[in-house]
Amino acid sequence: MASGAEEEGRARREAGEEDTDEDDERPQLSAAAAGALREFLEEQGRHEGEKGGGEGVELVAEDWRLSQFWYDERTARELSEEVARLASGLPAGASTSAAVACVACPTLYAYLRKSSPDVPARLLEYDERFGQYGDDFAFYDYNQPEALPPAMKHAFQIVVADPPYLSQECLEKVAKTVSFLAQPEGSFLLLLTGEVQKDRALELLNVRPCGFKPQHSNKLGNVFRLFTNYDPVDRLGGWDRSDGAPV
């Protein structure tokens, strides 16, 4: 997922101008993976969709220019199972019109839709190809973190977010979106981002890293982590206490 600002950055690069700051903030592929991804995009760019896993989940092709990197099947499956488990434990009488918000994580949304169609979820994304999901889709530009339908304010009990860039600015803006979406009390937050964001994620959203480490279909050079505002205990490896930090 990327924003209008990133589109301007692409235009500058195509014109021969440098944009090194933004490049530094993108999740980085290894050299071998980058070459393989270029070949993949050249081959897949002509197609509207692809099969995305053993369970028959369909996803549009990744657009690397939009900083799109889909989760591998194991990651998407375990995350969707955790979200479904959380949703099943919501208190009786809780609203079912908008239980889960998937912010810039279409792989999770697609797997959740396939495996747990009874869990109401919305996908917030910049890429309008995901408009194929109808009313479940809402256009989202992280540069305008609260430019969302008023009905979404404090409407979600589970919010999962995957900021597209590893910059402080991007995380800060996505954190505003999370705060806008989440119910003030008792909501569950799951954040997927680079390990380098650990301290900032704790400061902004009070989330801590889990033992479970997300993986992507095209291997990235950055170490990614799952952060939560609750301890999953025996799921997802629980909160990671290996560094001795208090939790």
Side-chain angles (χ1 to χ4, degrees), residues 30-46:
S30 65
L37 181 56
R38 281 194 294 272
E39 293 179 4
F40 172 82
L41 290 176
E42 290 172 0
E43 175 67 21
Q44 296 296 319
R46 297 188 297 271

Side-chain angles (χ1 to χ4, degrees), residues 80-227:
S80 62
E81 288 174 356
E82 174 68 7
V83 169
R85 188 179 292 111
L86 293 173
S88 69
L90 294 178
S95 170
T96 58
S97 62
V100 183
C102 299
V103 182
C105 44
T107 323
L108 169 60
Y109 170 82
Y111 271 77
L112 188 62
R113 176 185 173 101
K114 176 72 174 182
S115 63
S116 303
D118 56 324
V119 176
R122 299 289 301 275
L123 173 63
L124 286 68
E125 247 289 349
Y126 182 81
D127 188 345
E128 296 192 82
R129 291 181 296 171
F130 292 105
Q132 65 181 287
Y133 293 128
D135 291 341
D136 282 357
F137 169 81
F139 177 78
Y140 170 66
D141 182 344
Y142 82 83
N143 283 301
Q144 302 177 60
E146 297 183 353
L148 294 165
M152 284 188 171
K153 188 170 184 178
H154 299 161
F156 298 90
Q157 295 171 299
I158 304 167
V159 179
V160 188
D162 187 344
Y165 296 94
L166 300 181
S167 67
Q168 176 177 344
E169 176 202 24
C170 183
L171 183 57
E172 288 175 346
K173 290 180 176 178
V174 170
K176 289 182 179 179
T177 301
V178 170
S179 296
F180 177 88
L181 296 169
Q183 292 186 353
E185 299 292 336
S187 58
F188 297 99
L189 308 181
L190 295 86
L191 174 72
L192 297 101
T193 189
E195 187 169 44
V196 296
Q197 299 279 35
K198 178 180 177 180
D199 293 339
R200 197 168 291 137
L202 177 61
E203 176 186 353
L204 293 171
L205 291 169
N206 194 32
V207 292
R208 294 167 170 79
C210 296
F212 177 78
K213 294 184 179 180
Q215 301 293 326
H216 297 77
S217 296
N218 291 294
K219 185 174 178 59
L220 300 181
N222 309 88
V223 177
F224 271 70
R225 300 296 299 267
L226 167 66
F227 301 83

Side-chain angles (χ1 to χ4, degrees), residues 5-6 8-14 16-28 165-167 169:
E6 277 71 59
E8 294 176 5
R10 290 200 300 274
R12 289 196 297 272
R13 288 194 293 277
E14 291 170 358
E17 298 178 22
E18 295 185 354
D19 195 1
T20 57
D21 288 345
E22 180 181 298
D23 289 343
D24 289 342
E25 294 164 359
R26 291 177 182 274
Q28 297 297 310
Y165 296 94
L166 300 181
S167 67
E169 176 202 24

